[in-house]
Amino acid sequence: MVPALGESACGSGNFQRRLLGQAGSPATTSAFRRMLQKGSPAAIDQHETRGDCVMPEAIQGSSKKGNMTSGRAWAVVAVVFLAGFCMPANMGKTMWLAPLVMESYGFGPDILGWVNGVFYILGALIAFPAASFVRRIGVRSSVVIAMACAVVGNLIGLLSGTSVMVLMASRIVEGAGFGLMGVIGVTAITPWFPKGRRGLPLGVWGMWVAAANAITPMLDAAIAEATGSYLSVWQFLLVFDVIVLVLFLVIYRDPSEPYIDAAEKAGEVKFSYKELFSNKVVWVLAFVFFVEEGAFIASQGFLSSYVTTSIDAPLMVGTALVSAGAIWGACFSPIAGKISDAIGSRRKVLIFCMASAVLFGLLVFWVTDLRVYVLVIVLNGFTGGGVAAMLWASSSEVVPSHLISGATAALACSQSTGMFLGSMFMGNVINAVGYTMAGWCVLVPCFAIGLLAVIFGLRGKLK
């Protein structure tokens, strides 16, 4: 709490008067005086305090245009989210339309695993270089490059004909955009919000995959069914990517006064891979994302095929089930962020979500009654929405601001690597032992290991 005007702070009754004197004009001084009297979070959240003393730079930064109360902050969240949404929307094409793609190209689940999996290769490889790359050229240019990958990838896919290799090449290019956005998203959003209030905006960002998984399964199936060709989905997403790129260029701005550490603002620190790699908490978060996303995406990639073959349901029913789980996941992501802000703990919410993931792994390829799938849908949301939201939010809080792009790169790399291995490996396991045993032998152990890492690896290191 900031002392009322006239009270002593830091042992000096003149301290606040000195702060007000730094504000500038009488009008600005008056605004600062009102903020001090109210104990405005905008005046105190982003910089350090010592005892009851609010440091001068906290007051100097309080009138900035780029703080969390600005409408621009949430507009930036919206357009960055839309750019991110495009990437998993492209990712899901071959997953949600798996029966049609396999029939058209003449391959089975084993090759489908590769078609799904290669999407993540380049994204995993470029994640760490992208950490310094994004800081060097800026968020705006980085998003343009990521969106260009999405557009070019869709074009190559449209020209693939019946060539599996060309289809895979298109997936790799699209995956590069996915990997870039994994690094860019948190880096773009965090400067607009103070640390203690990033749970909700990063929870919104955490929906970028879940929201795409919620909307595109039924959308892709409906487009393919209406036009009689799955290639119409590639055409639709190509146009959508271009529209989002234009919208981003019109709306996005960098914050005029970002919420960053004082040392970075003063230019006293620079991005350092050595400093990043020595942070053990970042590696634990990355490991959890690796095993969780590997298992989760492995399940999503084959869920529509499982429903159509094992439950004997139409493709639209299978994609509807995938969408229902992802819709709840997309909704739960910001809810999880808001809850973690309210209780002051990311770790507790993360433990709950990972425990839900273990149960999800047990049931997802075992349940054969569509009515029981209600429980699977609920667990799917906790897993797909809550885990990612907590990990992205945590990555911005366990490192100083100049390393946030590096921490998110670690998560993006582990996410893409896990997705690649999970997608590739799962198809072969399903071919060998069937859906149910594959779920019990692959999904459950991965989720359980991730849960143990959160419980023991982050104890005392993450609130």
Side-chain angles (χ1 to χ4, degrees):
M1 176 67 66
V2 179
L5 287 176
E7 293 182 8
S8 175
C10 300
S12 171
N14 294 323
F15 181 70
Q16 292 179 348
R17 288 191 291 275
R18 289 202 304 274
L19 294 181
L20 294 171
Q22 293 176 10
S25 68
T28 308
T29 301
S30 178
F32 274 69
R33 187 181 302 275
R34 289 193 299 270
M35 295 180 76
L36 280 168
Q37 288 172 332
K38 295 178 181 179
S40 169
I44 64 175
D45 276 353
Q46 80 173 93
H47 295 291
E48 296 182 86
T49 60
R50 297 176 186 169
D52 292 328
C53 164
V54 183
M55 297 307 292
E57 58 267 29
I59 305 303
Q60 289 175 321
S62 64
S63 62
K64 60 193 174 190
K65 297 177 182 178
N67 63 23
M68 64 175 291
T69 61
S70 168
R72 175 69 66 174
W74 285 101
V76 167
V77 172
V79 292
V80 171
F81 169 80
L82 281 174
F85 175 93
C86 291
M87 308 306 158
N90 290 326
M91 172 190 75
K93 296 191 296 272
T94 57
M95 295 181 181
W96 318 140
L97 303 175
L100 300 179
V101 173
M102 286 191 291
E103 180 183 357
S104 177
Y105 286 88
F107 54 68
D110 52 343
I111 302 299
L112 177 65
W114 278 97
V115 171
N116 291 339
V118 294
F119 181 91
Y120 314 107
I121 291 177
L122 194 53
L125 293 176
I126 68 174
F128 281 113
S132 59
F133 173 78
V134 170
R135 287 178 61 84
R136 214 166 35 242
I137 71 169
V139 168
R140 188 181 185 86
S141 298
S142 300
V143 172
V144 170
I145 293 172
M147 293 301 300
C149 290
V151 171
V152 172
N154 268 305
L155 283 172
I156 296 174
L158 282 170
L159 299 174
S160 65
T162 57
S163 171
V164 178
M165 296 306 296
V166 177
L167 177 63
M168 287 187 176
S170 74
R171 302 283 290 165
I172 291 173
V173 175
E174 291 171 341
F178 182 91
L180 274 174
M181 282 308 303
V183 177
I184 297 166
V186 176
T187 307
I189 293 171
T190 51
W192 291 87
F193 300 88
K195 281 188 177 181
R197 303 185 185 183
R198 291 174 181 166
L200 180 57
L202 290 181
V204 172
W205 165 250
M207 299 191 315
W208 68 303
V209 176
N213 290 348
I215 296 171
T216 57
M218 290 193 68
L219 179 63
D220 291 358
I223 292 173
E225 186 174 306
T227 61
S229 172
Y230 66 88
L231 288 176
S232 300
V233 176
W234 271 252
Q235 295 168 347
F236 171 81
L237 289 174
L238 173 62
V239 174
F240 182 74
D241 290 344
V242 173
I243 292 172
V244 170
L245 174 58
V246 172
L247 192 64
F248 175 84
L249 290 173
V250 171
I251 294 177
Y252 179 80
R253 299 289 185 276
D254 290 321
S256 58
E257 290 289 341
Y259 284 100
I260 58 177
D261 296 337
E264 182 181 4
K265 198 169 186 178
E268 297 171 357
V269 292
K270 294 182 179 180
F271 181 86
S272 166
Y273 282 108
K274 181 179 179 180
E275 185 181 358
L276 172 68
F277 293 155
S278 65
N279 189 310
K280 296 179 181 178
V281 181
V282 170
W283 288 112
V284 175
L285 295 176
F287 174 76
V288 173
F289 217 13
F290 169 74
V291 294
E292 185 273 337
E293 284 293 277
F296 184 71
I297 293 299
S299 70
Q300 303 301 290
F302 295 95
L303 187 52
S304 60
S305 296
Y306 169 74
V307 173
T308 55
T309 57
S310 300
I311 305 182
D312 195 27
L315 177 61
M316 281 297 292
V317 174
T319 54
L321 288 172
V322 176
S323 290
I327 288 170
W328 167 231
C331 294
F332 185 68
S333 182
I335 293 173
K338 188 67 176 177
I339 291 172
S340 68
D341 278 348
I343 67 175
S345 174
R346 313 288 185 212
R347 181 171 170 268
K348 290 178 181 178
V349 178
L350 188 54
I351 288 174
F352 168 78
C353 293
M354 287 304 301
S356 299
V358 175
L359 186 55
F360 170 77
L362 282 169
L363 298 178
V364 65
F365 290 138
W366 176 66
V367 173
T368 57
D369 188 336
L370 285 175
R371 293 170 296 181
V372 184
Y373 247 89
V374 173
L375 176 59
V376 175
I377 288 169
V378 172
L379 295 171
N380 186 94
F382 291 150
T383 306
V387 174
M390 290 302 93
L391 291 174
W392 290 120
S394 298
S395 70
S396 73
E397 298 171 353
V398 299
V399 294
S401 61
H402 67 282
L403 293 181
I404 288 177
S405 64
T408 56
L411 264 64
C413 179
S414 63
Q415 180 187 39
S416 293
T417 304
M419 287 176 166
F420 167 67
L421 293 177
S423 298
M424 179 188 68
F425 185 61
M426 193 66 174
N428 291 288
V429 177
I430 289 172
N431 266 355
V433 300
Y435 282 101
T436 301
M437 286 303 298
W440 292 348
C441 295
V442 177
L443 305 185
V444 174
C446 286
F447 288 137
I449 291 170
L451 173 61
L452 292 175
V454 174
I455 293 174
F456 298 105
L458 296 178
R459 179 189 293 170
K461 300 174 183 176
L462 179 69
K463 289 184 179 181

